[in-house]
Amino acid sequence: MSGPASRPPGAGGEVTRSAPAKVNLFLAVGARRTDGYHDLVTVFEAVPLTDLVTVRLRPAGTGEPTVRVSAFWSPGAPAASHPGAPALPQDLDNLAGRAAQAFIEAVGGRGSGLPPVAIEVTIEKRIPAGAGLGGGSSDAAATLLALQELCGRPLDARTLRRAAASLGSDVPFFLSGGRAVGRSRGELLTLLPRAPRLHLVLALPPVTLATAEVYRRFDELSGAGPDPATLATRIGPGLPAGGDSPAPAGARERETALEAFLRTLAGGEAGAVARCLRNDLQAAALSLRPEVGEVLRALVEAGCLGALVSGSGASVFGLAAGEKEAAGAAARAPSALPPALVGRVAFVPVVSPAWEVRDDPAEGARSGSGEAPHTLKPG
Ligand code: C5P
Protein backbone atom coordinates (compact mmCIF):
# COMPACT_ATOMS: atom_id res chain seq x y z
CA MET A 1 0.00 0.00 0.00
CA SER A 2 2.80 2.39 0.73
CA GLY A 3 6.56 2.55 0.71
CA PRO A 4 9.36 3.06 -1.71
CA ALA A 5 9.10 1.34 -5.09
CA SER A 6 12.77 0.48 -5.10
CA ARG A 7 15.71 1.10 -2.81
CA PRO A 8 18.87 -0.72 -1.87
CA PRO A 9 18.04 -3.20 0.91
CA GLY A 10 20.94 -2.01 3.06
CA ALA A 11 19.17 1.35 3.43
CA GLY A 12 16.27 -0.14 5.39
CA GLY A 13 12.68 0.99 4.99
CA GLU A 14 9.12 -0.05 5.69
CA VAL A 15 6.20 -1.25 3.55
CA THR A 16 2.65 -2.01 4.68
CA ARG A 17 0.34 -4.16 2.57
CA SER A 18 -3.26 -5.28 2.88
CA ALA A 19 -3.47 -9.05 2.71
CA PRO A 20 -6.94 -10.14 1.59
CA ALA A 21 -8.76 -13.37 2.42
CA LYS A 22 -10.10 -15.70 -0.29
CA VAL A 23 -13.04 -17.97 -0.80
CA ASN A 24 -13.27 -20.82 -3.29
CA LEU A 25 -16.34 -20.39 -5.48
CA PHE A 26 -15.68 -23.76 -7.09
CA LEU A 27 -13.49 -26.60 -5.84
CA ALA A 28 -13.37 -29.98 -7.58
CA VAL A 29 -10.96 -32.38 -5.91
CA GLY A 30 -9.33 -35.42 -7.48
CA ALA A 31 -7.60 -38.38 -5.94
CA ARG A 32 -4.65 -38.21 -3.58
CA ARG A 33 -1.32 -38.07 -5.43
CA THR A 34 1.83 -39.94 -4.49
CA ASP A 35 3.23 -36.72 -2.94
CA GLY A 36 0.24 -36.59 -0.57
CA TYR A 37 -1.46 -33.64 -2.27
CA HIS A 38 -4.69 -33.80 -4.27
CA ASP A 39 -5.02 -32.61 -7.84
CA LEU A 40 -7.77 -30.05 -7.94
CA VAL A 41 -9.45 -27.37 -9.98
CA THR A 42 -10.65 -24.32 -8.11
CA VAL A 43 -11.86 -20.76 -8.61
CA PHE A 44 -10.20 -18.45 -6.09
CA GLU A 45 -11.90 -15.18 -5.24
CA ALA A 46 -10.04 -12.58 -3.13
CA VAL A 47 -12.39 -10.93 -0.64
CA PRO A 48 -11.89 -7.66 1.25
CA LEU A 49 -11.46 -9.07 4.73
CA THR A 50 -7.83 -8.16 5.27
CA ASP A 51 -4.82 -8.58 7.50
CA LEU A 52 -2.33 -5.72 7.60
CA VAL A 53 1.25 -6.82 7.01
CA THR A 54 4.10 -4.41 7.72
CA VAL A 55 7.64 -5.37 6.78
CA ARG A 56 10.60 -3.34 8.10
CA LEU A 57 14.19 -3.68 7.00
CA ARG A 58 16.89 -2.40 9.31
CA PRO A 59 20.58 -2.32 8.52
CA ALA A 60 22.20 -4.76 10.91
CA GLY A 61 25.93 -4.19 11.03
CA THR A 62 27.31 -7.62 10.29
CA GLY A 63 26.12 -11.19 10.03
CA GLU A 64 23.30 -13.00 8.26
CA PRO A 65 19.85 -11.52 7.68
CA THR A 66 17.56 -12.18 10.63
CA VAL A 67 13.77 -12.61 10.63
CA ARG A 68 11.27 -11.75 13.38
CA VAL A 69 7.49 -12.00 13.06
CA SER A 70 5.04 -10.54 15.51
CA ALA A 71 1.36 -11.35 14.87
CA PHE A 72 -1.56 -10.05 16.93
CA TRP A 73 -5.34 -9.96 16.62
CA SER A 74 -6.70 -6.64 15.45
CA PRO A 75 -8.91 -5.19 18.20
CA GLY A 76 -12.49 -6.01 17.27
CA ALA A 77 -11.59 -8.79 14.79
CA PRO A 78 -14.31 -11.47 14.95
CA ALA A 79 -11.83 -14.27 15.69
CA ALA A 80 -10.13 -12.33 18.48
CA SER A 81 -13.15 -12.64 20.72
CA HIS A 82 -13.65 -16.37 20.31
CA PRO A 83 -12.69 -18.07 23.55
CA GLY A 84 -11.13 -20.92 21.56
CA ALA A 85 -9.25 -18.67 19.12
CA PRO A 86 -5.89 -20.31 18.45
CA ALA A 87 -2.73 -18.54 19.59
CA LEU A 88 -1.14 -16.82 16.61
CA PRO A 89 2.19 -18.29 15.50
CA GLN A 90 5.20 -15.98 15.91
CA ASP A 91 8.62 -15.73 14.24
CA LEU A 92 9.47 -18.72 12.05
CA ASP A 93 6.40 -20.65 13.23
CA ASN A 94 4.45 -18.09 11.21
CA LEU A 95 4.28 -18.76 7.46
CA ALA A 96 5.20 -15.10 6.90
CA GLY A 97 8.50 -15.75 8.69
CA ARG A 98 9.15 -18.72 6.44
CA ALA A 99 8.26 -16.49 3.48
CA ALA A 100 10.95 -14.02 4.52
CA GLN A 101 13.42 -16.90 4.80
CA ALA A 102 12.41 -18.22 1.38
CA PHE A 103 12.96 -14.72 -0.01
CA ILE A 104 16.45 -14.56 1.49
CA GLU A 105 17.25 -18.00 0.04
CA ALA A 106 15.89 -17.05 -3.39
CA VAL A 107 17.89 -13.82 -3.48
CA GLY A 108 21.08 -15.72 -3.05
CA GLY A 109 21.27 -17.65 0.14
CA ARG A 110 21.91 -16.50 3.64
CA GLY A 111 24.44 -13.74 3.85
CA SER A 112 25.33 -13.69 0.17
CA GLY A 113 22.38 -12.05 -1.62
CA LEU A 114 21.25 -9.47 0.91
CA PRO A 115 23.48 -7.22 2.96
CA PRO A 116 23.18 -7.73 6.73
CA VAL A 117 19.61 -6.72 7.53
CA ALA A 118 17.08 -7.40 10.22
CA ILE A 119 13.67 -8.23 8.70
CA GLU A 120 10.78 -7.47 11.04
CA VAL A 121 7.26 -8.49 10.04
CA THR A 122 4.25 -7.24 12.00
CA ILE A 123 0.86 -8.78 11.21
CA GLU A 124 -2.39 -7.26 12.41
CA LYS A 125 -4.80 -10.17 11.95
CA ARG A 126 -8.44 -9.88 11.05
CA ILE A 127 -8.74 -13.05 8.96
CA PRO A 128 -9.60 -15.95 11.26
CA ALA A 129 -7.16 -18.87 11.29
CA GLY A 130 -8.26 -22.41 10.43
CA ALA A 131 -11.10 -20.93 8.42
CA GLY A 132 -10.33 -21.92 4.82
CA LEU A 133 -9.90 -18.22 4.03
CA GLY A 134 -6.17 -18.41 3.27
CA GLY A 135 -5.12 -15.84 5.88
CA GLY A 136 -1.70 -17.35 6.60
CA SER A 137 -1.03 -17.83 2.87
CA SER A 138 -2.03 -14.24 2.15
CA ASP A 139 0.27 -12.91 4.89
CA ALA A 140 3.11 -14.95 3.38
CA ALA A 141 2.47 -13.55 -0.11
CA ALA A 142 2.23 -10.00 1.27
CA THR A 143 5.58 -10.51 2.98
CA LEU A 144 7.19 -11.66 -0.28
CA LEU A 145 5.73 -8.69 -2.17
CA ALA A 146 6.79 -6.22 0.52
CA LEU A 147 10.34 -7.59 0.50
CA GLN A 148 10.42 -7.36 -3.28
CA GLU A 149 9.43 -3.70 -2.97
CA LEU A 150 11.92 -2.93 -0.20
CA CYS A 151 14.83 -4.66 -1.92
CA GLY A 152 14.42 -3.25 -5.43
CA ARG A 153 12.64 -6.31 -6.90
CA PRO A 154 15.58 -8.72 -7.00
CA LEU A 155 13.42 -11.75 -7.91
CA ASP A 156 11.94 -12.33 -11.36
CA ALA A 157 8.29 -13.37 -11.57
CA ARG A 158 9.03 -17.06 -12.00
CA THR A 159 11.38 -17.22 -8.99
CA LEU A 160 8.88 -15.31 -6.88
CA ARG A 161 6.09 -17.71 -7.81
CA ARG A 162 8.30 -20.69 -7.15
CA ALA A 163 9.16 -19.34 -3.69
CA ALA A 164 5.44 -18.76 -3.05
CA ALA A 165 4.50 -22.28 -4.16
CA SER A 166 7.14 -23.76 -1.85
CA LEU A 167 5.34 -22.15 1.09
CA GLY A 168 1.85 -23.50 0.37
CA SER A 169 -0.60 -24.33 -2.38
CA ASP A 170 -2.62 -21.09 -2.02
CA VAL A 171 0.30 -18.67 -1.64
CA PRO A 172 0.89 -18.03 -5.41
CA PHE A 173 -2.74 -16.89 -5.78
CA PHE A 174 -2.20 -14.13 -3.25
CA LEU A 175 0.63 -12.67 -5.33
CA SER A 176 -2.08 -11.52 -7.72
CA GLY A 177 -5.37 -11.64 -5.82
CA GLY A 178 -8.50 -10.85 -7.79
CA ARG A 179 -10.14 -13.94 -9.31
CA ALA A 180 -8.27 -16.92 -10.72
CA VAL A 181 -8.52 -20.59 -11.61
CA GLY A 182 -6.06 -22.78 -9.68
CA ARG A 183 -4.99 -26.21 -10.91
CA SER A 184 -2.61 -28.99 -9.85
CA ARG A 185 -2.52 -28.54 -6.05
CA GLY A 186 -3.77 -24.95 -6.52
CA GLU A 187 -0.50 -23.27 -7.46
CA LEU A 188 -0.90 -23.19 -11.26
CA LEU A 189 -2.95 -20.11 -11.94
CA THR A 190 -5.03 -18.64 -14.73
CA LEU A 191 -6.20 -15.15 -13.89
CA LEU A 192 -9.83 -14.40 -14.72
CA PRO A 193 -11.65 -11.19 -15.57
CA ARG A 194 -12.84 -9.42 -12.45
CA ALA A 195 -16.36 -8.90 -13.79
CA PRO A 196 -18.95 -9.58 -12.62
CA ARG A 197 -18.45 -8.47 -9.02
CA LEU A 198 -20.19 -10.73 -6.54
CA HIS A 199 -22.03 -9.76 -3.38
CA LEU A 200 -21.09 -12.22 -0.67
CA VAL A 201 -21.75 -12.66 3.02
CA LEU A 202 -18.83 -14.18 4.90
CA ALA A 203 -19.83 -16.22 7.93
CA LEU A 204 -17.13 -16.82 10.50
CA PRO A 205 -18.07 -19.52 13.01
CA PRO A 206 -16.13 -19.99 16.26
CA VAL A 207 -14.59 -23.27 15.13
CA THR A 208 -11.48 -24.12 13.16
CA LEU A 209 -10.51 -26.89 10.77
CA ALA A 210 -7.03 -28.05 9.76
CA THR A 211 -6.69 -28.40 5.99
CA ALA A 212 -4.72 -31.66 6.14
CA GLU A 213 -7.37 -33.20 8.41
CA VAL A 214 -10.18 -32.23 6.03
CA TYR A 215 -8.36 -33.79 3.06
CA ARG A 216 -7.82 -36.94 5.13
CA ARG A 217 -11.54 -37.11 5.87
CA PHE A 218 -12.24 -36.49 2.18
CA ASP A 219 -10.10 -39.56 1.39
CA GLU A 220 -11.94 -41.63 3.99
CA LEU A 221 -15.37 -40.59 2.80
CA SER A 222 -14.70 -40.69 -0.90
CA GLY A 223 -13.90 -44.40 -0.88
CA ALA A 224 -17.54 -45.19 -0.22
CA GLY A 225 -19.15 -42.20 -1.89
CA PRO A 226 -21.62 -42.00 -4.76
CA ASP A 227 -20.82 -41.30 -8.39
CA PRO A 228 -19.15 -37.87 -8.85
CA ALA A 229 -21.78 -37.01 -11.44
CA THR A 230 -24.30 -36.60 -8.61
CA LEU A 231 -22.14 -34.03 -6.87
CA ALA A 232 -23.17 -30.83 -8.58
CA THR A 233 -26.81 -31.48 -7.86
CA ARG A 234 -26.27 -32.44 -4.22
CA ILE A 235 -24.28 -29.34 -3.35
CA GLY A 236 -26.99 -27.11 -4.63
CA PRO A 237 -27.84 -23.60 -3.63
CA GLY A 238 -27.30 -23.53 0.08
CA LEU A 239 -28.04 -27.16 0.63
CA PRO A 240 -25.21 -28.70 2.57
CA ALA A 241 -24.18 -32.15 1.41
CA GLY A 242 -24.85 -35.01 3.77
CA GLY A 243 -22.20 -36.87 5.68
CA ASP A 244 -20.87 -38.68 2.64
CA SER A 245 -18.53 -37.49 -0.07
CA PRO A 246 -18.31 -38.29 -3.76
CA ALA A 247 -15.61 -40.40 -5.27
CA PRO A 248 -12.72 -38.10 -6.24
CA ALA A 249 -13.50 -36.21 -9.44
CA GLY A 250 -11.58 -37.34 -12.52
CA ALA A 251 -9.55 -34.82 -14.49
CA ARG A 252 -12.06 -34.60 -17.34
CA GLU A 253 -15.04 -34.24 -15.04
CA ARG A 254 -13.26 -31.46 -13.15
CA GLU A 255 -12.53 -29.51 -16.32
CA THR A 256 -16.03 -29.98 -17.76
CA ALA A 257 -17.63 -28.81 -14.53
CA LEU A 258 -15.23 -25.86 -14.34
CA GLU A 259 -16.10 -24.79 -17.89
CA ALA A 260 -19.79 -24.86 -17.02
CA PHE A 261 -19.13 -22.88 -13.84
CA LEU A 262 -17.08 -20.23 -15.66
CA ARG A 263 -19.75 -19.87 -18.36
CA THR A 264 -22.37 -19.33 -15.69
CA LEU A 265 -20.15 -16.91 -13.78
CA ALA A 266 -19.52 -14.88 -16.93
CA GLY A 267 -23.29 -14.73 -17.46
CA GLY A 268 -23.44 -12.64 -14.30
CA GLU A 269 -26.79 -13.91 -13.00
CA ALA A 270 -26.31 -14.43 -9.27
CA GLY A 271 -29.05 -17.06 -8.93
CA ALA A 272 -27.49 -19.19 -11.66
CA VAL A 273 -24.01 -18.81 -10.13
CA ALA A 274 -25.41 -19.85 -6.75
CA ARG A 275 -26.76 -23.05 -8.27
CA CYS A 276 -23.28 -23.93 -9.61
CA LEU A 277 -21.30 -23.32 -6.42
CA ARG A 278 -19.33 -26.46 -5.66
CA ASN A 279 -16.93 -27.59 -2.97
CA ASP A 280 -15.91 -31.24 -2.91
CA LEU A 281 -14.42 -30.76 0.57
CA GLN A 282 -17.70 -29.57 2.02
CA ALA A 283 -18.99 -32.97 3.09
CA ALA A 284 -15.68 -33.73 4.81
CA ALA A 285 -15.71 -30.36 6.60
CA LEU A 286 -19.32 -30.87 7.72
CA SER A 287 -18.64 -34.36 8.97
CA LEU A 288 -15.85 -32.94 11.18
CA ARG A 289 -17.79 -29.82 12.27
CA PRO A 290 -21.52 -30.46 11.85
CA GLU A 291 -22.39 -27.05 13.30
CA VAL A 292 -21.01 -25.48 10.11
CA GLY A 293 -24.06 -26.94 8.34
CA GLU A 294 -26.23 -24.78 10.62
CA VAL A 295 -24.36 -21.71 9.43
CA LEU A 296 -24.96 -22.67 5.78
CA ARG A 297 -28.65 -23.07 6.53
CA ALA A 298 -28.81 -19.75 8.37
CA LEU A 299 -27.35 -17.90 5.38
CA VAL A 300 -29.91 -19.37 3.00
CA GLU A 301 -32.77 -18.80 5.42
CA ALA A 302 -31.60 -15.19 5.76
CA GLY A 303 -31.95 -14.66 2.01
CA CYS A 304 -28.71 -15.75 0.33
CA LEU A 305 -29.23 -17.48 -3.02
CA GLY A 306 -26.69 -20.15 -2.10
CA ALA A 307 -24.05 -20.85 0.51
CA LEU A 308 -20.90 -22.92 0.56
CA VAL A 309 -18.05 -23.84 2.87
CA SER A 310 -14.90 -21.99 1.77
CA GLY A 311 -11.98 -24.27 0.94
CA SER A 312 -11.43 -26.70 3.79
CA GLY A 313 -13.60 -24.59 6.15
CA ALA A 314 -14.69 -23.84 8.75
CA SER A 315 -15.80 -20.50 7.33
CA VAL A 316 -18.77 -20.25 5.01
CA PHE A 317 -19.95 -17.72 2.47
CA GLY A 318 -23.34 -16.91 1.02
CA LEU A 319 -24.01 -15.40 -2.40
CA ALA A 320 -26.60 -12.63 -2.52
CA ALA A 321 -28.39 -10.96 -5.43
CA GLY A 322 -26.93 -7.51 -4.75
CA GLU A 323 -25.55 -5.12 -2.17
CA LYS A 324 -28.85 -4.50 -0.36
CA GLU A 325 -29.63 -8.21 -0.29
CA ALA A 326 -26.18 -9.05 1.14
CA ALA A 327 -26.53 -6.44 3.87
CA GLY A 328 -30.04 -7.71 4.65
CA ALA A 329 -28.92 -11.34 4.79
CA ALA A 330 -25.99 -10.46 7.07
CA ALA A 331 -28.38 -8.64 9.39
CA ARG A 332 -30.98 -11.44 9.46
CA ALA A 333 -28.62 -14.43 9.62
CA PRO A 334 -27.83 -14.26 13.37
CA SER A 335 -31.48 -14.84 14.25
CA ALA A 336 -31.61 -17.84 11.87
CA LEU A 337 -28.90 -19.63 13.87
CA PRO A 338 -29.69 -22.37 16.40
CA PRO A 339 -29.52 -21.06 20.01
CA ALA A 340 -26.10 -22.60 20.69
CA LEU A 341 -24.53 -20.50 17.94
CA VAL A 342 -26.37 -17.23 18.45
CA GLY A 343 -23.89 -14.41 19.04
CA ARG A 344 -20.94 -16.62 18.14
CA VAL A 345 -20.89 -16.29 14.34
CA ALA A 346 -19.81 -13.06 12.61
CA PHE A 347 -21.55 -12.22 9.32
CA VAL A 348 -19.67 -9.81 7.07
CA PRO A 349 -21.06 -8.54 3.73
CA VAL A 350 -18.34 -8.00 1.11
CA VAL A 351 -18.07 -7.27 -2.61
CA SER A 352 -15.57 -9.39 -4.50
CA PRO A 353 -13.12 -9.92 -6.05
CA ALA A 354 -11.02 -7.73 -3.82
CA TRP A 355 -8.37 -5.30 -4.92
CA GLU A 356 -6.82 -4.66 -8.26
CA VAL A 357 -4.57 -7.23 -9.80
CA ARG A 358 -1.40 -5.25 -10.16
CA ASP A 359 -0.12 -4.48 -13.59
CA ASP A 360 3.42 -5.34 -12.62
CA PRO A 361 5.35 -7.81 -14.76
CA ALA A 362 7.85 -8.30 -11.93
CA GLU A 363 5.03 -9.77 -9.91
CA GLY A 364 3.88 -11.88 -12.83
CA ALA A 365 0.30 -10.70 -12.66
CA ARG A 366 -1.47 -8.87 -15.38
CA SER A 367 -5.20 -8.70 -15.73
CA GLY A 368 -8.12 -6.44 -15.18
CA SER A 369 -11.84 -6.20 -15.46
CA GLY A 370 -12.99 -7.60 -18.77
CA GLU A 371 -9.56 -8.66 -19.96
CA ALA A 372 -8.72 -12.05 -21.36
CA PRO A 373 -7.39 -14.61 -18.88
CA HIS A 374 -3.64 -14.62 -18.42
CA THR A 375 -1.93 -17.88 -17.58
CA LEU A 376 0.75 -17.99 -14.92
CA LYS A 377 2.81 -21.11 -14.47
CA PRO A 378 5.43 -21.43 -11.78
CA GLY A 379 8.58 -22.72 -13.41
O1 C5P B 1 -0.24 -26.60 0.51
P1 C5P B 1 -0.66 -26.47 1.92
O2 C5P B 1 0.50 -26.46 2.88
O3 C5P B 1 -1.60 -25.34 2.18
O4 C5P B 1 -1.50 -27.78 2.25
C1 C5P B 1 -1.80 -28.20 3.57
C2 C5P B 1 -2.23 -29.65 3.52
O5 C5P B 1 -3.46 -29.78 2.82
C3 C5P B 1 -1.26 -30.54 2.78
O6 C5P B 1 -0.26 -31.03 3.65
C4 C5P B 1 -2.15 -31.65 2.29
O7 C5P B 1 -2.39 -32.58 3.32
C5 C5P B 1 -3.46 -30.96 2.01
N1 C5P B 1 -3.63 -30.57 0.60
C6 C5P B 1 -3.91 -31.56 -0.32
N2 C5P B 1 -4.09 -31.23 -1.64
C7 C5P B 1 -3.98 -29.95 -2.05
C8 C5P B 1 -3.70 -28.92 -1.12
C9 C5P B 1 -3.52 -29.28 0.20
O8 C5P B 1 -4.02 -32.73 0.03
N3 C5P B 1 -4.18 -29.65 -3.35
Side-chain angles (χ1 to χ4, degrees), residues 36-40 167-170 184-186 211-212 215:
Y37 286 92
H38 294 70
D39 271 321
L40 55 79
L167 295 163
S169 307
D170 293 350
S184 184
R185 62 183 171 94
T211 304
Y215 274 101

Side-chain angles (χ1 to χ4, degrees), residues 209-222:
L209 277 166
T211 304
E213 192 188 354
V214 175
Y215 274 101
R216 264 198 306 278
R217 179 56 64 93
F218 171 84
D219 291 340
E220 285 164 15
L221 295 176
S222 60

Side-chain angles (χ1 to χ4, degrees), residues 175-197:
L175 294 177
S176 58
R179 176 181 289 159
V181 172
R183 290 191 174 83
S184 184
R185 62 183 171 94
E187 83 283 21
L188 297 185
L189 296 170
T190 305
L191 299 190
L192 294 170
R194 298 173 72 243
R197 312 295 298 271

Side-chain angles (χ1 to χ4, degrees), residues 55-361:
V55 179
R56 286 183 199 89
L57 279 191
R58 283 189 219 286
T62 56
E64 296 174 347
T66 59
V67 176
R68 299 296 310 266
V69 176
S70 153
F72 62 96
W73 288 114
S74 183
S81 56
H82 294 157
L88 290 172
Q90 310 291 323
D91 297 322
L92 296 184
D93 291 336
N94 193 299
L95 196 60
R98 298 206 287 284
Q101 268 195 324
F103 182 85
I104 294 166
E105 299 291 337
V107 168
R110 285 196 157 264
S112 59
L114 289 180
V117 282
I119 299 173
E120 292 172 13
V121 184
T122 307
I123 308 174
E124 182 173 345
K125 293 286 300 172
R126 291 195 198 91
I127 306 171
L133 293 170
S137 300
S138 189
D139 297 343
T143 301
L144 290 175
L145 292 171
L147 284 168
Q148 273 283 80
E149 204 172 315
L150 284 165
C151 297
R153 304 191 187 286
L155 302 184
D156 60 36
R158 172 185 286 221
T159 310
L160 186 64
R161 288 198 298 273
R162 199 182 282 147
S166 76
L167 295 163
S169 307
D170 293 350
V171 181
F173 166 69
F174 288 108
L175 294 177
S176 58
R179 176 181 289 159
V181 172
R183 290 191 174 83
S184 184
R185 62 183 171 94
E187 83 283 21
L188 297 185
L189 296 170
T190 305
L191 299 190
L192 294 170
R194 298 173 72 243
R197 312 295 298 271
L198 298 179
H199 294 273
L200 305 175
V201 180
L202 301 179
L204 314 173
V207 290
T208 62
L209 277 166
T211 304
E213 192 188 354
V214 175
Y215 274 101
R216 264 198 306 278
R217 179 56 64 93
F218 171 84
D219 291 340
E220 285 164 15
L221 295 176
S222 60
D227 182 334
T230 62
L231 178 75
T233 51
R234 279 191 314 109
I235 302 183
L239 300 173
D244 58 353
S245 219
R252 182 177 298 179
E253 192 267 330
R254 293 197 297 272
E255 289 297 331
T256 307
L258 172 72
E259 258 176 53
F261 179 79
L262 293 180
R263 261 198 313 275
T264 306
L265 184 60
E269 208 272 292
V273 176
R275 283 190 292 280
C276 293
L277 295 173
R278 166 171 171 172
N279 180 355
D280 290 5
L281 295 179
Q282 176 158 290
L286 293 180
S287 92
L288 290 165
R289 296 279 182 277
E291 60 270 50
V292 173
E294 304 290 349
V295 182
L296 285 170
R297 267 180 222 106
L299 281 170
V300 173
E301 216 176 296
C304 286
L305 301 167
L308 197 71
V309 167
S310 176
S312 53
S315 73
V316 165
F317 66 95
L319 175 57
E323 189 177 351
K324 248 189 17 235
E325 288 82 356
R332 284 186 297 273
S335 55
L337 288 167
L341 285 176
V342 170
R344 304 183 66 213
V345 182
F347 293 94
V348 187
V350 294
V351 186
S352 74
W355 52 282
E356 298 295 323
V357 176
R358 285 171 301 282
D359 188 19
D360 182 348

